Amino acid sequence: MATAVPAERDAVARAFPGPGQEIPLPGATVHRVADDWDLLAAGVGPALAAASTATALTAAALDGRPYALVVSAGIAGGFAPGAPVGSLVVADEITAADLGAESADGFLPVTELGFGTVTHRPPPALVHAVAEATGARPGTVLTGSTVTGTAARADALRARHPRALAEAMEGFGVAEAAAAHGVPVLELRAVSNPVGPRDRAAWRIGDALTALTAAFGKLTPALKSWNPHDH
């Protein structure tokens, strides 16, 4: 499970008993909180998240215990009214919001330029199971290297991605690393602030981290009942 920063990783860890074990890797540290759960504070932004997640995936594969699932988790901005502050969102599409090129006709994603991908899709059966277990709303979670801070930017993203419920900075990078290893991916976000004008007074980070802990307390049984071959 990959978060951006230690505060998010620690919020997830609180859903598991015991102190866990630290496993140092080149450029990253995995926190093993259960036999089948490793936590990683992968870093902020899609590039560092992809690199750190790839390191953990490679180390696990070389150790003879490859991961069966990668989860990108943390807090996020939510698009109103679908994802209010304090709510949970599970991605049925993990989409890079700004991977492409600007043109006279508007933004062109890399898929329209003839290379790459901008969207990874978690297994629908898993998304459904997580939504049922946690109350998270399924929808698109956008990944960007720059957090939205204006109404104009929020409106542009909403127009380009009408199914978007949340915006974060790591999910697509984590998904790219998982895809390179042939491992399914999931993204679960707790909403800490609305997407739009940057207003620190409106942020509820503590509430979102508490919601994240509660979600993972409910998530583990859902994952244990999920069949990886059931797409």
Side-chain angles (χ1 to χ4, degrees):
M1 196 282 303
T3 68
V5 296
E8 294 168 318
R9 179 202 61 208
D10 294 345
V12 174
R14 285 193 286 273
F16 299 89
Q21 173 190 6
E22 288 196 356
I23 302 171
L25 303 174
T29 299
V30 165
H31 293 252
R32 183 158 295 160
V33 293
D35 289 341
D36 50 359
W37 274 100
D38 287 351
L39 310 183
L40 172 70
V44 175
L48 185 54
S52 299
T53 302
T55 294
L57 283 162
T58 300
L62 292 175
D63 193 39
R65 53 181 308 272
Y67 296 116
L69 174 70
V70 177
V71 182
S72 176
I75 62 176
F79 287 92
V85 172
S87 66
L88 295 169
V89 174
V90 58
D92 57 16
E93 293 184 346
I94 301 169
T95 297
D98 50 9
L99 183 59
E102 294 289 348
S103 77
D105 297 321
F107 179 79
L108 298 174
V110 294
T111 48
E112 293 186 22
L113 299 175
F115 56 91
T117 185
V118 294
T119 296
H120 292 279
R121 293 176 175 83
L126 177 59
V127 172
H128 177 76
V130 171
E132 287 288 313
T134 65
R137 182 174 176 184
T140 300
V141 177
L142 302 179
T143 299
S145 296
T146 302
V147 172
T148 296
T150 66
R153 171 66 173 169
D155 290 343
L157 287 175
R158 192 190 303 273
R160 193 184 304 159
H161 307 282
R163 293 188 67 256
L165 288 179
E167 172 195 72
M169 299 179 72
E170 294 79 32
F172 185 79
V174 172
E176 287 277 82
H181 281 260
V183 179
V185 67
L186 180 75
E187 184 169 12
L188 181 65
R189 295 283 175 175
V191 176
S192 59
N193 59 277
V195 175
R198 188 171 175 82
D199 178 11
R200 291 294 297 267
W203 293 6
R204 298 292 182 268
I205 292 177
D207 292 344
L209 292 174
T210 298
L212 196 64
T213 302
F216 269 83
K218 301 172 183 176
L219 183 66
T220 304
L223 293 183
K224 287 183 176 179
S225 65
W226 172 63
N227 182 352
H229 302 291
D230 182 10
H231 299 293

